[in-house]
């Protein structure tokens, strides 16, 4: 599992920060969270392949989070993509994608399925056998959502116990692990609950999108056992008024949510272009250093990659 920050800037891109876009590699595919302008070119400097992206999750419809979609779709078509692409986002996402497909002459022939989210409560919007994606409503002036990736682990098999109960070594063990009852060598029925151990905890990742700080969000993440939180920190703590006025969060806001969530790592992103100036960025870094927490606090950088187990959970 890896996180790759394709863009870490806010509304206006800067020399050091592209518009926002975060890639998450899991199980042979790539999940893309937000797709700001120029994201597909940023991918060229990383290990991220656009053709491996099967799911795009848009937090909200401000331009810095969506303007990279038309070019990305056209490139996928140019390279002969055939696999379906799923795009999730708030109300209005379908219209954005429809309009994107009307721009210029292109070769987009692969299916695109758009799922619009309408909820005031956290809900699972997509689920596979080994993971689920949860949308959490946030506050940013327009419909907006945080996204939570939650890995699903299967129950573990107590092989020694199964042997003692007379289960044959082979396909029957797999059946038990998948929840099917089997007959042992004595003709007795062995149910899965006889030999299954509770599943190990799966990895959990949350991305806030743009939002005012929401303490309930942090508490919800704690209930889920969230490991890594990517939270916007558009401003340093000296700009609390600007953050509130623009419905954003400060460094201190993000740290507080991370505390409530009890995460192992907090990554700050969506950083204002004002911090492109060295003296302002030094202020930002000094602000971060003031927080001596039990979890890691990282300031995101464009094109920076993190091995989750090694760099964030280790």
């Amino acid at each position: 599992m890896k996180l790759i920050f394709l863009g870490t800037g806010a509304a206006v891109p800067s020399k050091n920060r592209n518009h926002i876009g975060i890639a998450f590699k899991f199980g042979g595919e790539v999940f893309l969270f937000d797709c700001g302008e120029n994201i597909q070119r940023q991918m060229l400097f990383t290990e991220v392949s656009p053709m491996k992206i099967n799911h795009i999750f848009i937090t909200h419809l401000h331009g810095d989070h969506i303007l990279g979609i038309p070019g990305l779709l056209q490139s996928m078509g140019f390279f002969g993509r055939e696999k379906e692409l799923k795009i999730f986002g708030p109300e209005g996402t379908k219209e954005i994608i429809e309009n994107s497909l009307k721009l210029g002459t292109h070769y987009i022939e692969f299916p695109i399925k758009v799922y619009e989210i309408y909820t005031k409560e956290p809900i699972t919007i997509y689920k596979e056998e080994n993971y689920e994606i949860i949308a959490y409503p946030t506050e940013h002036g327009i419909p907006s959502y945080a996204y939570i990736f939650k890995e699903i682990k299967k129950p573990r098999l107590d092989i020694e116990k199964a042997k003692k109960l007379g289960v044959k070594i082979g396909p029957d063990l797999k059946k038990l692990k998948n929840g099917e009852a089997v007959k042992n060598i004595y003709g007795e029925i062995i149910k899965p609950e006889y030999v299954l151990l509770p599943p190990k905890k799966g990895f959990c990742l949350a991305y806030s999108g743009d939002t005012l700080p929401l303490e309930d969000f942090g508490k919800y993440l704690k209930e889920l056992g969230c490991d890594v939180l990517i939270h916007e920190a558009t401003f340093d703590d000296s700009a609390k008024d600007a953050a509130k006025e623009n419905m954003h969060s400060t460094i201190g806001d993000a740290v507080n949510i991370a505390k409530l969530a009890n995460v192992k790592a907090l990554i700050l992103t969506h950083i204002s272009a004002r911090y492109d100036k060295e003296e302002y960025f030094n202020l930002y870094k000094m602000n971060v250093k003031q927080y001596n927490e039990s979890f890691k606090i990282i300031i995101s950088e464009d094109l920076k990659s993190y091995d989750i187990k090694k760099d964030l959970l280790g």
Side-chain angles (χ1 to χ4, degrees), residues 90-110:
E91 180 181 2
T93 301
K94 284 183 180 178
E95 184 179 3
I96 293 293
I97 302 306
E98 288 170 359
N99 289 335
S100 295
L101 297 175
K102 295 174 185 177
L103 292 174
T105 301
H106 56 73
Y107 306 92
I108 300 173
E109 297 180 355
F110 59 92

Side-chain angles (χ1 to χ4, degrees), residues 2-291:
K2 282 189 176 180
L3 275 173
I4 302 98
F5 286 82
L6 302 168
T8 61
V12 179
S14 68
K15 289 181 179 179
N16 297 325
R17 297 185 185 276
N18 193 80
H19 275 158
I20 197 81
I22 302 164
F24 172 52
K25 295 185 71 175
F26 175 84
E29 67 171 303
V30 177
F31 302 83
L32 181 62
F33 295 94
D34 281 329
C35 187
E37 185 180 350
N38 205 42
I39 285 298
Q40 66 166 324
R41 187 170 184 275
Q42 294 286 90
M43 291 180 192
L44 297 175
F45 302 99
T46 71
E47 60 189 88
V48 177
S49 167
M51 302 301 274
K52 294 286 187 181
I53 297 172
N54 298 325
H55 304 83
I56 299 176
F57 300 92
I58 303 301
T59 57
H60 64 289
L61 301 183
H62 282 155
D64 55 319
H65 294 253
I66 61 171
L67 290 178
I69 294 176
L72 179 60
L73 296 181
Q74 292 196 20
S75 291
M76 287 177 171
F78 183 80
F79 288 118
R81 184 185 179 101
E82 296 180 352
K83 191 168 185 178
E84 180 182 77
L85 176 67
K86 297 178 176 67
I87 301 176
F88 300 78
E91 180 181 2
T93 301
K94 284 183 180 178
E95 184 179 3
I96 293 293
I97 302 306
E98 288 170 359
N99 289 335
S100 295
L101 297 175
K102 295 174 185 177
L103 292 174
T105 301
H106 56 73
Y107 306 92
I108 300 173
E109 297 180 355
F110 59 92
I112 301 172
K113 193 165 185 180
V114 181
Y115 300 81
E116 289 193 338
I117 306 166
Y118 302 85
T119 183
K120 294 183 178 180
E121 301 292 334
I123 59 167
T124 296
I125 56 170
Y126 189 76
K127 190 171 186 178
E128 290 284 356
E129 185 179 2
N130 57 345
Y131 70 86
E132 65 178 318
I133 305 290
I134 300 167
Y136 189 103
T138 54
E139 292 186 26
H140 191 52
I142 61 174
S144 58
Y145 296 94
Y147 292 107
I148 304 157
F149 170 94
K150 195 170 189 304
E151 184 180 14
I152 299 171
K153 293 277 193 180
K154 289 185 177 180
R156 297 168 290 158
L157 181 66
D158 188 335
I159 296 178
E160 292 305 315
K161 190 172 183 180
K163 286 179 182 178
K164 288 177 181 179
L165 290 173
V167 178
K168 293 178 185 177
I169 301 300
D172 283 351
L173 292 177
K174 186 175 182 181
K175 287 180 180 178
L176 283 167
K177 193 171 183 181
N178 288 333
E180 299 177 46
V182 301
K183 284 186 178 181
N184 65 8
I185 57 177
Y186 311 112
E188 300 167 333
I189 298 295
I190 304 298
K191 296 181 179 180
E193 54 263 36
Y194 298 168
V195 295
L196 291 182
L197 299 169
K200 289 183 178 180
K201 178 188 173 300
F203 173 69
C204 183
L205 167 73
Y207 166 48
S208 72
D210 293 7
T211 182
L212 287 169
L214 303 173
E215 292 194 350
D216 283 347
F217 179 50
K219 294 172 185 176
Y220 180 76
L221 295 181
K222 183 178 181 179
E223 290 176 10
L224 292 181
C226 186
D227 298 292
V228 176
L229 170 61
I230 305 169
H231 201 286
E232 74 118 301
T234 309
F235 300 98
D236 71 273
D237 291 349
S238 69
K240 289 181 180 179
D241 290 343
K244 188 174 181 180
E245 182 181 349
N246 292 284
M247 304 194 80
H248 280 296
S249 298
T250 64
I251 294 167
D253 292 331
V255 170
N256 184 51
I257 302 304
K259 278 184 187 178
L260 292 169
N262 195 32
V263 295
K264 296 178 178 67
L266 166 66
I267 306 178
L268 308 174
T269 196
H270 198 269
I271 297 166
S272 170
R274 70 166 67 184
Y275 301 106
D276 215 38
K277 293 181 179 180
E278 186 176 356
E279 63 268 31
Y280 287 111
F281 188 54
N282 285 337
L283 172 66
Y284 195 96
K285 289 189 290 185
M286 287 175 60
N287 191 171
V288 170
K289 286 181 180 178
Q290 291 176 5
Y291 294 97

Side-chain angles (χ1 to χ4, degrees), residues 276-308:
D276 215 38
K277 293 181 179 180
E278 186 176 356
E279 63 268 31
Y280 287 111
F281 188 54
N282 285 337
L283 172 66
Y284 195 96
K285 289 189 290 185
M286 287 175 60
N287 191 171
V288 170
K289 286 181 180 178
Q290 291 176 5
Y291 294 97
N292 184 21
E293 304 298 334
S294 59
F295 50 85
K296 297 178 182 178
I297 304 177
I298 298 167
I299 302 171
S300 64
E301 299 175 38
D302 278 26
L303 310 180
K304 183 75 174 179
S305 174
Y306 297 96
D307 180 293
I308 286 170

